[in-house]
Every structure is written in C-alpha cells, then in structure tokens.
Amino acid sequence: MAKTNEPTIIKKYANRRLYNTGTSTYVTLEDLAVMVKGEEDFVVFDAKSGDDITRSVLTQIIFEQEGKGQNLLPVTFLRQLIRFYGDSMQGIVPSFLEYSMTSLTQEQEKLRAKMSGAFGATAFDAIEDQVKRNTEMFERAMKMFMPFPTGEAGASPETSSDEAKPGKTEASDLDDMKRQLEEMQKKISKLSDKP
C-alpha cells in the first residue's frame, strides 16, 4: 500500500481481531509491526467504543517481540520506567524518551555511514567514539531528572550512612543506564554490519 499523509485506520473488534480499513483485510500484530518498520503510520480504534487504543496495541507489539527473545528492553530499564509512573517526573519522561530515541536513530544513521567507509581499527575507533558521545549525551539528559547532584540535596556531614544510600543507588542506576546504553550501541553496530 502506498504511503499517504493520513494514517491508516485499524479497527480492533471484541474478538481481538484487527481490521485494516486501508486494505480491507484482517491483520495481525506481526503485520502491524511490519507497517511500523516500513514507517507506515496507523491509528487503532476500538470498534465498539471508538476509543484510540494505538498506544496499547503498540505496547502489545513490543511485548510480543520481547516474548520472542528479541530482547531490546533491559530489565533495569523496565524497572526504572515503572518507577516513573505516578512520580512527579512522569510528565517529562515521554518527551525525554522521544528525544532520546530520535537522537539514537540519528546517531545510528551516522554510525552506519562511518562503518560503510571504515575498515579495521578505524571501525573500532568509530564505534568507541560513538559510544562515548552517546553516553555523554545520555548523562547530560539524565541530569535533567536529578534536581540535585548526589550528596548536595541538603545532606549534612552528620547524615547517617542509611540516609546516604539513595544517592549511591541513583549513582548505581546511572552506571547501569550507561552500561545499557553501551550494550545498545554494540547491538546497533552488529545490526549495521548485517547486509
């Protein structure tokens, strides 16, 4: 189906079947995943209520992909994401994640371009530089989520070691996120090596 400016309308029926109004055919979540990968925009409506359920259907697609062993979302990331629900930072998280994914996509394209022209040690250097830049960008973005640097949130020298643990936890969470970002970069570079 040709790409248009208008998103394709998908209707979800009570029997869980998905109907593509653009092609007048029933589709599966796998078909919708292919549409997403092909950058074909669509919205999903509940056929009975008319509610927009696109977000929950996209989440189902991610759940199915993760269930197939295509693990893209680290457990630590999922736990951190769950912690943001109901938190005062909840309103900022969607914009931050959208910005991060856009940046990652742009950097992925740059990395692919570098890899296509690089050989041997040059390719390794390009990957290492890219990981460093992405880690630095991620650190700057994460500072937005921490109102005070660790240890400066009004803590006095008399603070007990039990009270100091949250700062250490935040630092270890940031270290975990750095490690996860590096792992994502390695996966991206492996994918870019594939024809």
Side-chain angles (χ1 to χ4, degrees), residues 133-162:
R133 280 195 303 271
N134 286 349
T135 302
E136 289 168 3
M137 179 194 72
F138 194 71
E139 285 174 348
R140 285 192 305 271
M142 283 308 295
K143 287 179 185 175
M144 182 173 75
F145 287 105
M146 293 184 211
F148 304 103
T150 305
E152 291 183 22
S156 65
E158 296 83 31
T159 304
S160 72
S161 61
D162 289 340

Side-chain angles (χ1 to χ4, degrees), residues 50-86:
D51 293 340
D52 184 343
I53 57 170
T54 307
R55 183 182 310 268
S56 65
V57 170
L58 292 172
T59 305
Q60 284 179 308
I61 292 169
I62 292 169
F63 180 76
E64 280 201 359
Q65 296 297 316
E66 289 285 319
K68 291 178 181 176
Q70 299 179 14
N71 299 326
L72 193 62
L73 302 173
V75 172
T76 306
F77 171 80
L78 294 171
R79 290 179 198 272
Q80 290 167 337
L81 191 60
I82 291 168
R83 287 183 194 120
F84 280 119
Y85 283 97

Side-chain angles (χ1 to χ4, degrees), residues 81-101:
L81 191 60
I82 291 168
R83 287 183 194 120
F84 280 119
Y85 283 97
D87 187 88
S88 61
M89 301 301 287
Q90 180 175 341
I92 297 173
V93 173
S95 299
F96 172 74
L97 291 176
E98 187 173 350
Y99 170 78
S100 297
M101 289 305 292

Side-chain angles (χ1 to χ4, degrees), residues 23-191:
T23 59
S24 300
T25 58
Y26 285 100
V27 292
T28 64
L29 289 177
E30 186 66 34
D31 295 327
L32 295 182
V34 170
M35 289 173 69
V36 170
K37 291 175 184 178
E39 297 183 17
E40 185 177 342
D41 195 16
F42 61 85
V43 290
V44 183
F45 293 103
D46 182 280
K48 186 175 182 181
S49 68
D51 293 340
D52 184 343
I53 57 170
T54 307
R55 183 182 310 268
S56 65
V57 170
L58 292 172
T59 305
Q60 284 179 308
I61 292 169
I62 292 169
F63 180 76
E64 280 201 359
Q65 296 297 316
E66 289 285 319
K68 291 178 181 176
Q70 299 179 14
N71 299 326
L72 193 62
L73 302 173
V75 172
T76 306
F77 171 80
L78 294 171
R79 290 179 198 272
Q80 290 167 337
L81 191 60
I82 291 168
R83 287 183 194 120
F84 280 119
Y85 283 97
D87 187 88
S88 61
M89 301 301 287
Q90 180 175 341
I92 297 173
V93 173
S95 299
F96 172 74
L97 291 176
E98 187 173 350
Y99 170 78
S100 297
M101 289 305 292
T102 301
S103 297
L104 180 62
T105 301
Q106 291 169 349
E107 293 300 318
Q108 176 184 4
E109 294 303 318
K110 289 177 188 176
L111 180 62
R112 282 185 178 158
K114 284 182 182 181
M115 293 298 290
S116 65
F119 299 99
T122 308
F124 180 77
D125 292 341
I127 293 170
E128 188 174 76
D129 288 343
Q130 191 65 46
V131 169
K132 285 179 185 176
R133 280 195 303 271
N134 286 349
T135 302
E136 289 168 3
M137 179 194 72
F138 194 71
E139 285 174 348
R140 285 192 305 271
M142 283 308 295
K143 287 179 185 175
M144 182 173 75
F145 287 105
M146 293 184 211
F148 304 103
T150 305
E152 291 183 22
S156 65
E158 296 83 31
T159 304
S160 72
S161 61
D162 289 340
E163 293 172 2
K165 285 183 182 176
K168 290 181 181 176
T169 302
E170 289 174 7
S172 66
D173 286 346
L174 186 57
D175 290 339
D176 286 342
M177 292 177 92
K178 286 180 193 177
R179 182 185 48 74
Q180 291 169 12
L181 184 60
E182 288 176 9
E183 288 173 6
M184 284 181 11
Q185 283 302 113
K186 288 176 185 175
K187 288 181 182 179
I188 289 171
S189 67
K190 285 180 184 176
L191 290 173

